[in-house]
Amino acid sequence: MNTGDLYNLTKSPPIKSTQELRKISTAYFKDLEASSNDPNQKIAWCSSVGPAELLLALGFKVYYPENHTAMLGTSRLANKYIPAAIAQGYSPEICSYLTSDIGAFLHKETPFTKAYGLKEVPKPDVLAFNTNQCRDIQDWFNWYSKKLNIPIIGINSPSFVDDVKENHIHSVVTQLKDMIPVLEKISDQSFEKKKLNHIVNLSFQCSEKWQEVLETAKVAPSPITFWDSCIHMLPAVVLRGSQIAIDYYKMLKEELIERIENNEAAVPNEEFRIYWEGMPIWGKIRSLSEHLCDSQTSVVASTYCSSWIFTDLGSSTNEPFTNMAKAYTKLFINRSESSKEDYLIDKFKTFNIDGVIFHNARTCPNNSNTNYGMPKRLENRQNIPSIVIDADLNDLNVYSEEQTKTKIDAFVEQLAGV
Amino acid sequence: MLDSILYAGIDIGSSYTKVVLIDQNNDIQGSNIDFSGIKLHSAAETSLKAALPKNTNLTAVKKIVTTGFGRKIPAINQIPFANITEISCSAKAAQLFYPNKTLTIIDIGGQDTKIISMRNGKRTNFKMNRKCAAGTGTFIEELALKLRIDLGEMNTLASKSTNPEKISSYCTVFAASEVLSRIRKGAKIEDMIYGAFYSIVNRVLEIDTINTDVVLTGGLIAYNPIIADIFKEVLGKSMLLPPSPQLFVALGAALYASQLK
Ligand code: SF4
């Protein structure tokens, strides 16, 4: 299957910093491969909004399976692998990240081979999750824990939180601290608060810079789209806690500012500004970005890409556990309906949004805010029109190209007053 | 008719291609309905030619708007054209028949169903069925196939129902099996078919809330007026039925064509 260039999935004018992105991503994966072959270097698998800083502070190299699955989606390989996991007893209705990842493992294949020359995914020494995103992540990691006989640890976060209170933070801080002895034993390194503080601070700076990149889209015409951000978010996920990610976003932001100064738009002749709520449909990024670009419609902001803005990582100095607990509990996905609505309304205003596309992802209800009446409630509160697209993050069997494009076209016609 | 100027709306649906030709006064001068088949462009061209009034040839058609599932076909005979979604075309036709009205259009098509909200003649919102044939024309087509009943007979049979049955399955495939097995157990065929129409109405009403007058359009309505009766029963008000519900979208497209620059 021709998977194309995974760094260049949009029709927008190419972002020059992508060259650097390729370089740092390749270096990250090569380093993981080397670590995987080095018995003295321990590797932790971590959920994408999991306790990465703690793992880094204890000397682990951190690998994020969700990055792998996004790649399975983007390269349209997911549907090749999902059936193998279904045959293991996993329902096709549950997380297609889980099913495609386990399926790829069973097939002994990975898109890392083609993209970065890795023979296989890096072998874990420990699996660390946080249920702040969903329960599927725990089931997913549990499968590997049993299969590879690897210890699994995690944080069971309070979920559907309205106001994040002291008791929520206390519970997460306690769980983070409880992880330390287990991790120390595996890594054979002693915990140092100073080191954690330093790494949390680096993550915070990365988050700040990533936010600045995303916020360049406040300008009309926007220099960047959601589709671009889906690719350029990689360092915010896998390299947070390092200077490399901070430097990368400084560079990217400079380029985007230059675009703004030169009036260079991501979508030439931008007419409408759209907010994307929900997961990307990874295998359709190119086709949807081209389709919307042709309609002079720029998807300028999204909840998904903003999920790696962790403002609270910098909330107090020398309190790394509290900062982590706050950042990873206040996450959008983990919040009550009304907190989510307030968050979204704020985003619509910040980015001067004309319309909203909600993605109802069949296998990720956690990241789909369409099932409990939110689109209608938001329309009533804000008078910003919206549509719902029924699809999935990775399972393209539940996606109808024709129906989706007709919905989008009709929506754009509606915005244009046709 | 040799010197006439015509505007064409071509609605290329998943099952049928519908054409409406209007003149400069928005009066209908011709129409045609044909199977879409596999070659959408040639179906559209053949249908367009078939819709032409007597002694008129294709050169009379000055502008075309294509719409529907197959709307993105290349130009026909190099006649200037645009493609616009069936949602906008429905709203356009509604503006002609019901100017400045606040209403809801329910368009039940072969593979999807749309609910379009209009406020004071302006389209404000639309919703489509989820990716599932429940609540679309396919539901009835599948059932007719399973029961080996001519599609055209379904309405007549349903109207003979005296004790309508409810179908509990949501899925089109399961619903057809359910109908068959209940008929085998003694349920009357006409009561089950009525139940199938009833189920379509229920599925449609799950797509959105409806608080205004309702216009019913689409091929299913055209051939099965019993659906309008069921909507009336469920919503407690009469339905507005345009003169040719199946040509409604094509008419909207023709109206757009007449305004193309
Ligand atoms: S949040 Fe959704 S996509 Fe991510 S692991 Fe959980 S179920 Fe899967």
Side-chain angles (χ1 to χ4, degrees), chain A residues 66 95 97 133-134 136-137 140 279 333 363-364 366-367 393:
Chain A
E66 284 152 272
C95 175
Y97 269 7
Q133 57 189 88
C134 63
D136 300 53
I137 191 77
W140 180 1
M279 298 277 288
I333 189 172
T363 71
C364 179
N366 316 287
N367 254 322
L393 36 136

Side-chain angles (χ1 to χ4, degrees), chain A residues 271-414:
Chain A
E271 280 278 335
F272 306 111
R273 298 167 61 81
I274 298 289
Y275 188 89
W276 182 278
E277 194 344 89
M279 298 277 288
I281 306 167
W282 287 110
K284 290 290 163 184
I285 286 192
R286 187 191 300 275
S287 128
L288 289 175
S289 82
E290 289 184 357
H291 192 76
L292 280 149
C293 191
D294 289 342
S295 323
Q296 282 100 50
T297 302
S298 192
V299 182
V300 294
S302 68
T303 313
Y304 182 69
C305 292
S306 306
S307 296
W308 282 268
I309 298 174
F310 302 114
T311 314
D312 284 286
L313 284 180
S315 56
S316 45
T317 43
N318 213 20
E319 291 293 344
F321 290 106
T322 312
N323 290 357
M324 282 178 74
K326 279 187 186 164
Y328 292 128
T329 310
K330 284 190 182 173
L331 215 60
F332 176 89
I333 189 172
N334 199 35
R335 306 299 294 281
S336 68
E337 290 284 289
S338 63
S339 315
K340 285 180 177 175
E341 280 176 31
D342 292 345
Y343 172 99
L344 289 172
I345 285 173
D346 185 54
K347 289 275 186 209
F348 300 165
K349 284 186 187 146
T350 305
F351 289 93
N352 201 12
I353 295 299
D354 298 307
V356 185
I357 297 179
F358 283 89
H359 171 204
N360 179 27
R362 172 78 163 260
T363 71
C364 179
N366 316 287
N367 254 322
S368 303
N369 290 295
T370 52
N371 296 333
Y372 297 90
M374 193 187 290
K376 217 166 195 173
R377 280 199 304 276
L378 281 175
E379 272 182 11
N380 291 340
R381 272 180 75 177
Q382 277 299 290
N383 212 10
I384 295 178
S386 63
I387 49 167
V388 176
I389 288 175
D390 295 299
D392 191 51
L393 36 136
N394 267 13
D395 186 354
L396 291 181
N397 285 344
V398 300
Y399 174 76
S400 160
E401 183 99 4
E402 285 311 326
Q403 200 185 61
T404 303
K405 289 191 172 166
T406 296
K407 268 189 192 173
I408 290 175
D409 288 350
F411 191 49
V412 174
E413 287 168 4
Q414 180 182 323

Side-chain angles (χ1 to χ4, degrees), chain B residues 131-152:
Chain B
K131 196 195 142 202
C132 169
T136 73
T138 304
F139 186 75
I140 293 297
E141 277 177 29
E142 278 292 316
L143 192 60
L145 204 71
K146 267 259 162 69
L147 295 174
R148 293 177 193 270
I149 291 171
D150 192 66
L151 202 52

Side-chain angles (χ1 to χ4, degrees), chain B residues 16-94:
Chain B
Y16 293 93
T17 293
K18 289 82 66 177
V19 176
V20 167
L21 291 165
I22 59 170
D23 61 19
Q24 285 148 305
N25 302 318
N26 292 341
D27 289 329
I28 295 178
Q29 295 298 338
S31 66
N32 188 64
I33 298 173
D34 217 334
F35 286 114
S36 294
I38 294 163
K39 292 186 178 158
L40 299 180
H41 188 271
S42 68
E45 189 169 351
T46 313
S47 220
L48 176 62
K49 285 178 182 159
L52 288 168
K54 252 195 181 154
N55 302 326
T56 308
N57 62 35
L58 212 47
T59 53
V61 179
K62 301 300 176 204
K63 306 266 169 63
I64 296 176
V65 163
T66 51
T67 184
F69 147 88
R71 67 188 176 282
K72 293 198 171 157
I73 55 165
I76 296 173
N77 254 25
Q78 291 170 339
I79 301 168
F81 87 115
N83 68 71
I84 297 177
T85 63
E86 53 273 41
I87 290 120
S88 296
C89 290
S90 278
K92 190 79 177 165

Side-chain angles (χ1 to χ4, degrees), chain B residues 51 59 95 103 144 146 154 159 180 183 198 207-208 212:
Chain B
T59 53
Q95 284 161 3
L103 46 82
K146 267 259 162 69
M154 296 292 272
S159 57
L180 268 180
I183 290 171
Y198 204 94
I207 299 174
D208 205 356
T212 65

